[in-house]
Structures are given as C-alpha cells and as structure tokens.
Amino acid sequence: MIRPNAQPLIRPSVASLHPYVPGEQPHGEGWIKLNTNENWFVAPGVLHAVAAAATSDLRRYPDAACSDLRTRLEARYGVPSARTICGNGSDEILTLLIRACAGEGDRIAYADPSYSLYETLAQIQNAAPVPVPMGPQWELPVDDLIAIDAPLTLVASPHAPSGTAFALADLERLAAGVTGVVAFDEAYVDFGGVSALAFIDRYPNVVVVRTMSKAFGLAGVRLGYAFGSAEVVDALYRIKDSYNVDRLAQVAGCAALDAWDEYAAVNRATVTRRDAVADTLRNRFGWHVWPSAANFVLATPENADAEVIALRLKEERILVRHFARPRLGRSLRISIGSGPEMDRFLDVLGSIVG
Ligand SMILES: Cc1ncc(COP(=O)(O)O)c(C=O)c1O
C-alpha cells in the first residue's frame, strides 16, 4: 500500500530493533526441555490452589496491589510489603525499572554477555545500552561499571548464562560506588548464589529483582517481584499497569510460597544433580564446564560444534540452548531437569559425541 508523504508508523528505535528471542517452547509430547531454565517440579498444592481459584470470581479484576502475596513475601524475606512490588514475570519488573530510571538517551549499563533482554528493553526505551565486557573467568567488571555510573545498572547475580556466583563484597562495592539505581537480578539465587537483599536497607539505590519462574516452578504463570527503597518501589507502582498480576498468578504465587520446604528440597536435589552432570560432562566427554550457582550449566564441548550438538539433540526431542553470540557460540547452556531427564540427556549425548 502506498502512503505518500506519510509519517513513519513506528518509532525508528522500534523499527530497527532486534527483538529478544526467547527459548523455544515446543509443541507436542515427549520433549525434554533443558533450554529455558524452568523447574522440572510443581508443588501439588499449587495446582490445587489454582484449580480451586478457577471460579466465577475470574470475572472480577485481580487485587492491583497483590496484598496476600506481598504479605507472604514480607513474612518470608522480612522486607516491609510497602517496599515490595510484584510483576508479570521479573521481565515486567525490569521493564518498569528501565522506564522509571532511564529516559531517552540515558545509559543503561550491564555486564556483557548477560541476559540479552536488558539490551532489548533499553533499545525499546530509546535509552543507550552500555554493555561492559566481563572478565575472562566471568568476573563482574565492577570498576568499569562504577566508572560508567549509569542511571541504571543491571546485574544478573548469579550471572546468566555462565552461572557464576559473584562475591558479595564486589556486589556491595558496586552498590556503594554507583550513584544511579543498581538492580541485582537474582533469578537464580535460590540455587546457590549470594543475595544482595541486605543491601536494600543500606543503599537506597539498590533493587533486588526475583522471579518465581525458576526456583518456584511458575514460569507459566508469569510472576516476579522486587524489593528496594520506598523511593524506587513507589516509582514502579506509579507506572505499572493497574492489574499487572492476574488472579490465578497471585494464587499460584501464594501457594508456592506456602510450599517453601518442598521447593527447597527439590532445589537442593537439583543443585546436587547439577554438580554431578557437570562432572560427567567434564570427565566422560572432556567438556569445559563453568562452575555454576544456578539451575543450569554453561558447557563448552572440546573438538565439536556446539550448535551441531544442539541440533542433533533436538532431533531426539531434547532442547538445550545455543547462543550465536560473541563468547557464547562455542558453548551450550543446559538446564538441570529431573533425574530421568538428565540420564536420558547424557545417554543421547553419548550416542552423539561418542
Ligand atoms: C537472568 C534472568 N532474569 C530474568 C529472567 C526472566 O524471568 P521471568 O520469567 O520472571 O520473566 C530470566 C529468564 O530466563 C533470566 O534468565
């Protein structure tokens, strides 16, 4: 269709955007999904609670403040509920932070490589993404991030996609050294990382972002939350959609927190299995595996093409994640599934690489 002298329909920063590419969600049965770091477990209590909540109440809007959920979060983490906000996945919390902290052209700094959504969200906002190279052993570039002193600094901690746990002292040095907001994205913290949560009482610029997608097995309902100073959290409330967390997600989140002990036991087993899988990849296949504090490992096959291995695994209905990006192209990120899933993965891998 010709539109002579018409103005562009889409903002240039959006028109030229490279959108975030999520991990594949396959259709059909029989897949072993080790590509998006989901939990392999859902507590039965969560399923019962969600089924019980599927009533005619669904015609009503949800609680805009997520009051029950925030009360439970306060009981669990000791952060006053006024300094907690819930979101439609932690992705929404990241979006809110970027909107609240960075205007057009403002810098958003993050360690690179990292969760690639950071860059996409910055571009959508027409802000200036500043990727800061990590060290050769995935060290957090604390001094470089401090030197940039961006209005918003994003740190996945433990780091994704390497799984590296950072030293608390480094995280604190960053929090103290940057004058803008520092968001610690602790999506994987329940699998062995250290938490920066205590910093929110010392540093008004610190926000800790969490998700229920990983340790609490709720990727499918989309639920995340953040803790921070009243000033920052209040700003996020002012810009969020009124009803950003739906009724069933709120119920699922409450039930998952009630099932804390069950999830803790399952996640401890995942950590043990992660370390065993890493050892097998190293000892049986000779792969390089980075130490991980998350529910995945980043592994580099020696003398084999990582992308080809991912494709061969997919032919056997096993998905792992390959990133065609600098520093990552020779590696695979492998989520830690159930025992039988990992046994099957290692068997099939053995038949592929010998
Ligand atoms: C580092 C990191 N942060 C945030 C997220 C998004 O989590 P959510 O499902 O809560 O949006 C992910 C998902 O993979 C992640 O890896």
Side-chain angles (χ1 to χ4, degrees):
M1 194 189 306
I2 297 170
R3 301 173 64 243
N5 304 323
Q7 59 182 311
L9 296 177
I10 304 298
R11 286 197 285 130
S13 64
V14 174
S16 62
L17 188 73
H18 296 294
Y20 175 72
V21 181
E24 182 175 351
Q25 303 297 333
H27 296 285
E29 296 297 309
W31 288 90
I32 295 180
K33 274 200 83 259
L34 309 177
N35 63 334
T36 46
N37 304 338
E38 292 138 335
N39 206 315
W40 55 274
F41 172 79
V42 182
V46 172
L47 302 181
H48 291 139
V50 171
T55 68
S56 62
D57 278 351
L58 289 182
R59 74 194 192 285
R60 303 233 190 264
Y61 286 109
D63 174 6
C66 293
S67 310
D68 290 347
L69 191 52
R70 287 192 303 137
T71 301
R72 277 177 174 74
L73 289 169
E74 177 170 347
R76 172 52 61 182
Y77 295 106
V79 180
S81 63
R83 294 170 55 190
T84 306
I85 185 165
C86 299
N88 182 32
S90 57
D91 284 350
E92 187 199 15
I93 304 275
L94 296 170
T95 300
L96 294 176
L97 277 167
I98 285 178
R99 286 193 195 152
C101 302
E104 191 169 327
D106 284 343
R107 289 156 309 148
I108 295 176
Y110 49 86
D112 183 61
S114 226
Y115 185 34
S116 61
L117 184 72
Y118 300 160
E119 181 182 19
T120 308
L121 293 179
Q123 287 170 342
I124 293 170
Q125 179 74 347
N126 221 355
V130 184
V132 181
M134 300 187 75
Q137 308 289 316
W138 303 105
E139 295 91 344
L140 187 64
V142 177
D143 293 317
D144 294 344
L145 289 168
I146 291 174
I148 289 162
D149 196 17
L152 178 63
T153 303
L154 298 165
V155 177
S157 171
H159 179 247
S162 71
T164 305
F166 300 127
L168 206 52
D170 281 343
L171 302 181
E172 180 152 22
R173 202 153 63 80
L174 181 65
V178 168
T179 58
V181 168
V182 180
F184 293 111
D185 176 354
E186 297 191 345
Y188 301 102
V189 76
D190 298 288
F191 300 99
V194 292
S195 176
L197 189 56
F199 298 168
I200 64 168
D201 289 329
R202 272 175 263 161
Y203 303 98
N205 59 330
V206 167
V207 177
V208 169
V209 183
R210 297 275 183 97
T211 177
M212 300 206 84
S213 297
K214 314 295 180 182
F216 292 95
L218 292 182
V221 308
R222 314 300 303 122
L223 186 56
Y225 45 92
F227 305 113
S229 62
E231 182 184 353
V232 176
V233 169
D234 186 57
L236 304 185
Y237 271 103
R238 278 188 275 141
I239 59 173
K240 84 175 181 71
D241 288 348
S242 309
Y243 305 113
N244 60 331
V245 181
D246 71 63
R247 273 177 177 270
L248 297 180
Q250 294 187 33
V251 166
C254 289
L257 288 168
D258 290 347
W260 179 275
D261 292 342
E262 259 174 287
Y263 280 107
V266 164
N267 293 335
R268 275 195 301 275
T270 298
V271 164
T272 304
R273 194 174 312 117
R274 172 195 72 206
D275 295 342
V277 168
D279 281 345
T280 305
L281 292 172
R282 288 186 192 107
N283 301 334
R284 183 169 152 204
F285 299 110
W287 288 18
H288 179 82
V289 186
W290 293 98
S292 172
N295 65 340
F296 58 83
V297 290
L298 185 69
T300 311
E302 304 293 341
N303 307 320
D305 185 314
E307 190 172 12
V308 171
I309 294 175
L311 291 171
R312 295 280 305 280
L313 286 166
K314 187 173 174 181
E315 285 166 13
E316 303 293 330
R317 291 176 100 76
I318 298 174
L319 293 179
V320 297
R321 193 85 198 254
H322 174 257
F323 300 96
R325 288 168 54 197
R327 261 194 95 165
L328 298 172
R330 293 185 53 238
S331 304
L332 296 172
R333 195 196 62 190
I334 303 157
S335 311
I336 304 302
S338 68
E341 285 176 329
M342 299 320 285
D343 290 346
R344 166 93 183 131
F345 161 73
L346 290 171
D347 279 353
V348 173
L349 190 62
S351 69
I352 292 172
V353 297

